[in-house]
Short mmCIF file of all heavy atoms in Angstrom, two decimals:
data_model
loop_
_atom_site.label_atom_id
_atom_site.label_comp_id
_atom_site.label_asym_id
_atom_site.label_seq_id
_atom_site.Cartn_x
_atom_site.Cartn_y
_atom_site.Cartn_z
N ARG V 8 14.96 5.92 -2.34
CA ARG V 8 16.08 5.37 -3.08
C ARG V 8 17.18 6.40 -3.24
O ARG V 8 17.01 7.62 -3.05
CB ARG V 8 15.64 4.83 -4.46
CG ARG V 8 14.74 5.77 -5.32
CD ARG V 8 15.43 6.96 -5.75
NE ARG V 8 14.86 7.65 -6.89
CZ ARG V 8 15.40 8.73 -7.53
NH1 ARG V 8 16.47 9.28 -6.98
NH2 ARG V 8 14.87 9.23 -8.56
N PHE V 9 18.33 5.87 -3.64
CA PHE V 9 19.51 6.71 -4.00
C PHE V 9 19.98 6.20 -5.33
O PHE V 9 20.13 5.00 -5.52
CB PHE V 9 20.67 6.54 -2.92
CG PHE V 9 21.90 7.22 -3.27
CD1 PHE V 9 21.95 8.63 -3.51
CD2 PHE V 9 23.08 6.51 -3.27
CE1 PHE V 9 23.16 9.25 -3.85
CE2 PHE V 9 24.32 7.09 -3.56
CZ PHE V 9 24.32 8.51 -3.85
N ALA V 10 20.23 7.12 -6.27
CA ALA V 10 20.49 6.70 -7.64
C ALA V 10 21.76 7.42 -8.19
O ALA V 10 21.64 8.29 -9.00
CB ALA V 10 19.27 7.04 -8.49
N PRO V 11 22.92 6.93 -7.78
CA PRO V 11 24.15 7.63 -8.26
C PRO V 11 24.48 7.24 -9.66
O PRO V 11 24.08 6.20 -10.14
CB PRO V 11 25.22 7.08 -7.29
CG PRO V 11 24.68 5.73 -6.90
CD PRO V 11 23.23 5.86 -6.81
N SER V 12 25.13 8.16 -10.37
CA SER V 12 25.69 7.92 -11.66
C SER V 12 27.15 7.53 -11.52
O SER V 12 27.89 8.16 -10.81
CB SER V 12 25.64 9.16 -12.57
OG SER V 12 24.32 9.68 -12.64
N PRO V 13 27.58 6.42 -12.20
CA PRO V 13 28.92 5.87 -11.92
C PRO V 13 29.93 6.55 -12.77
O PRO V 13 30.63 5.97 -13.56
CB PRO V 13 28.78 4.41 -12.28
CG PRO V 13 27.68 4.37 -13.30
CD PRO V 13 26.77 5.47 -12.95
N THR V 14 30.05 7.88 -12.53
CA THR V 14 30.99 8.68 -13.35
C THR V 14 32.27 8.93 -12.59
O THR V 14 33.15 9.71 -13.02
CB THR V 14 30.37 9.99 -13.78
OG1 THR V 14 29.81 10.61 -12.65
CG2 THR V 14 29.25 9.81 -14.79
N HIS V 18 31.26 11.31 -4.32
CA HIS V 18 31.77 12.60 -3.79
C HIS V 18 30.85 13.23 -2.80
O HIS V 18 29.72 12.72 -2.55
CB HIS V 18 32.01 13.54 -5.02
CG HIS V 18 30.84 13.70 -5.91
ND1 HIS V 18 29.79 14.57 -5.64
CD2 HIS V 18 30.52 13.17 -7.08
CE1 HIS V 18 28.89 14.48 -6.61
NE2 HIS V 18 29.31 13.65 -7.50
N SER V 21 27.15 13.87 -3.65
CA SER V 21 26.29 12.68 -3.68
C SER V 21 26.07 12.14 -2.29
O SER V 21 24.99 11.60 -2.06
CB SER V 21 26.90 11.55 -4.49
OG SER V 21 27.21 12.05 -5.81
N ALA V 24 23.05 13.50 -0.74
CA ALA V 24 21.82 12.90 -1.24
C ALA V 24 21.64 11.54 -0.61
O ALA V 24 20.48 11.10 -0.27
CB ALA V 24 21.82 12.85 -2.77
N ARG V 42 19.87 2.42 -6.96
CA ARG V 42 19.81 2.20 -8.42
C ARG V 42 21.13 2.79 -8.97
O ARG V 42 21.48 3.90 -8.55
CB ARG V 42 18.62 2.90 -9.01
CG ARG V 42 18.43 2.76 -10.51
CD ARG V 42 17.26 3.47 -11.05
NE ARG V 42 17.55 4.90 -11.17
CZ ARG V 42 16.66 5.85 -10.88
NH1 ARG V 42 15.54 5.59 -10.35
NH2 ARG V 42 17.06 7.13 -11.04
N ILE V 43 21.74 2.13 -9.94
CA ILE V 43 22.93 2.67 -10.57
C ILE V 43 22.51 3.27 -11.90
O ILE V 43 22.06 2.53 -12.77
CB ILE V 43 24.06 1.64 -10.74
CG1 ILE V 43 24.49 1.07 -9.34
CG2 ILE V 43 25.21 2.18 -11.56
CD1 ILE V 43 25.33 2.08 -8.53
N ASP V 44 22.69 4.56 -12.07
CA ASP V 44 22.29 5.22 -13.30
C ASP V 44 23.37 5.19 -14.34
O ASP V 44 24.00 6.23 -14.64
CB ASP V 44 21.83 6.69 -12.97
CG ASP V 44 20.51 6.78 -12.30
OD1 ASP V 44 19.89 5.75 -12.08
OD2 ASP V 44 20.03 7.88 -11.96
N ASP V 45 23.58 4.00 -14.86
CA ASP V 45 24.62 3.75 -15.88
C ASP V 45 24.00 3.62 -17.31
O ASP V 45 24.34 2.79 -18.08
CB ASP V 45 25.42 2.53 -15.53
CG ASP V 45 24.55 1.27 -15.38
OD1 ASP V 45 23.29 1.41 -15.38
OD2 ASP V 45 25.11 0.14 -15.21
N GLN V 77 20.57 0.61 -14.60
CA GLN V 77 19.79 1.10 -15.76
C GLN V 77 20.33 0.53 -17.08
O GLN V 77 19.55 0.39 -18.02
CB GLN V 77 19.90 2.66 -15.86
CG GLN V 77 19.12 3.29 -14.69
CD GLN V 77 18.87 4.80 -14.95
OE1 GLN V 77 19.73 5.49 -15.47
NE2 GLN V 77 17.68 5.21 -14.58
N TYR V 178 17.50 10.28 -19.65
CA TYR V 178 17.36 10.17 -18.17
C TYR V 178 15.99 10.39 -17.75
O TYR V 178 15.43 9.68 -16.91
CB TYR V 178 18.35 11.22 -17.51
CG TYR V 178 17.97 11.57 -16.14
CD1 TYR V 178 18.13 10.66 -15.05
CD2 TYR V 178 17.37 12.82 -15.87
CE1 TYR V 178 17.71 11.07 -13.80
CE2 TYR V 178 16.98 13.15 -14.63
CZ TYR V 178 17.18 12.26 -13.57
OH TYR V 178 16.77 12.63 -12.29
N VAL V 182 14.28 7.44 -15.46
CA VAL V 182 14.05 7.66 -14.05
C VAL V 182 12.63 7.37 -13.69
O VAL V 182 12.33 6.75 -12.62
CB VAL V 182 14.57 9.06 -13.63
CG1 VAL V 182 13.67 10.11 -14.16
CG2 VAL V 182 14.72 9.19 -12.14
N ASP V 186 11.72 4.36 -11.27
CA ASP V 186 11.11 4.63 -9.95
C ASP V 186 9.79 3.90 -9.78
O ASP V 186 9.45 3.39 -8.73
CB ASP V 186 10.90 6.14 -9.80
CG ASP V 186 12.21 6.84 -9.41
OD1 ASP V 186 13.08 6.20 -8.77
OD2 ASP V 186 12.38 8.03 -9.76
N ILE V 194 10.94 10.46 -3.16
CA ILE V 194 12.23 10.79 -3.76
C ILE V 194 12.85 11.90 -2.99
O ILE V 194 12.27 13.00 -2.80
CB ILE V 194 12.03 11.13 -5.24
CG1 ILE V 194 11.56 9.86 -5.97
CG2 ILE V 194 13.25 11.70 -5.85
CD1 ILE V 194 11.29 10.10 -7.50
N VAL V 195 14.09 11.66 -2.52
CA VAL V 195 14.88 12.61 -1.85
C VAL V 195 16.23 12.70 -2.60
O VAL V 195 16.89 11.73 -2.72
CB VAL V 195 15.19 12.24 -0.31
CG1 VAL V 195 16.00 13.29 0.36
CG2 VAL V 195 13.84 12.04 0.37
N ARG V 196 16.53 13.84 -3.17
CA ARG V 196 17.71 13.95 -4.03
C ARG V 196 18.12 15.45 -4.10
O ARG V 196 17.49 16.29 -3.51
CB ARG V 196 17.39 13.44 -5.42
CG ARG V 196 16.27 14.19 -6.14
CD ARG V 196 15.93 13.62 -7.49
NE ARG V 196 14.80 14.35 -8.10
CZ ARG V 196 14.21 13.97 -9.17
NH1 ARG V 196 14.54 12.86 -9.80
NH2 ARG V 196 13.20 14.74 -9.69
N GLY V 197 19.21 15.69 -4.82
CA GLY V 197 19.74 17.01 -4.84
C GLY V 197 18.92 18.01 -5.63
O GLY V 197 18.20 17.63 -6.60
N ASP V 199 19.73 19.98 -7.82
CA ASP V 199 20.06 20.19 -9.20
C ASP V 199 19.04 19.51 -10.10
O ASP V 199 18.94 19.78 -11.31
CB ASP V 199 21.45 19.66 -9.46
CG ASP V 199 21.65 18.25 -8.96
OD1 ASP V 199 21.06 17.91 -7.94
OD2 ASP V 199 22.50 17.57 -9.53
N LEU V 200 18.15 18.62 -9.51
CA LEU V 200 17.17 17.93 -10.30
C LEU V 200 15.76 18.54 -10.12
O LEU V 200 14.83 18.03 -10.67
CB LEU V 200 17.19 16.44 -9.96
CG LEU V 200 18.50 15.76 -10.36
CD1 LEU V 200 18.64 14.39 -9.73
CD2 LEU V 200 18.58 15.65 -11.88
N GLN V 207 9.35 14.92 -15.27
CA GLN V 207 9.16 13.56 -14.79
C GLN V 207 7.71 13.33 -14.34
O GLN V 207 7.09 12.27 -14.62
CB GLN V 207 10.14 13.28 -13.70
CG GLN V 207 11.58 13.23 -14.26
CD GLN V 207 12.65 13.24 -13.15
OE1 GLN V 207 12.41 12.95 -11.99
NE2 GLN V 207 13.86 13.54 -13.57
N1 LIG Y 1 21.68 9.79 -11.31
C1 LIG Y 1 21.29 11.13 -10.98
C2 LIG Y 1 22.45 11.93 -10.45
O1 LIG Y 1 23.41 11.29 -9.97
C3 LIG Y 1 20.23 11.14 -9.94
C4 LIG Y 1 18.90 10.67 -10.44
C5 LIG Y 1 17.73 10.91 -9.44
O2 LIG Y 1 17.98 10.96 -8.21
O3 LIG Y 1 16.64 11.02 -9.93
O4 LIG Y 1 22.45 13.11 -10.61
#
Side-chain angles (χ1 to χ4, degrees):
R8 49 63 157 187
F9 173 57
S12 303
T14 50
H18 53 79
S21 306
R42 181 182 79 221
I43 297 291
D44 284 0
D45 55 354
Q77 290 197 322
Y178 156 74
V182 71
D186 282 329
I194 292 180
V195 179
R196 62 185 179 188
D199 51 330
L200 294 166
Q207 294 170 16

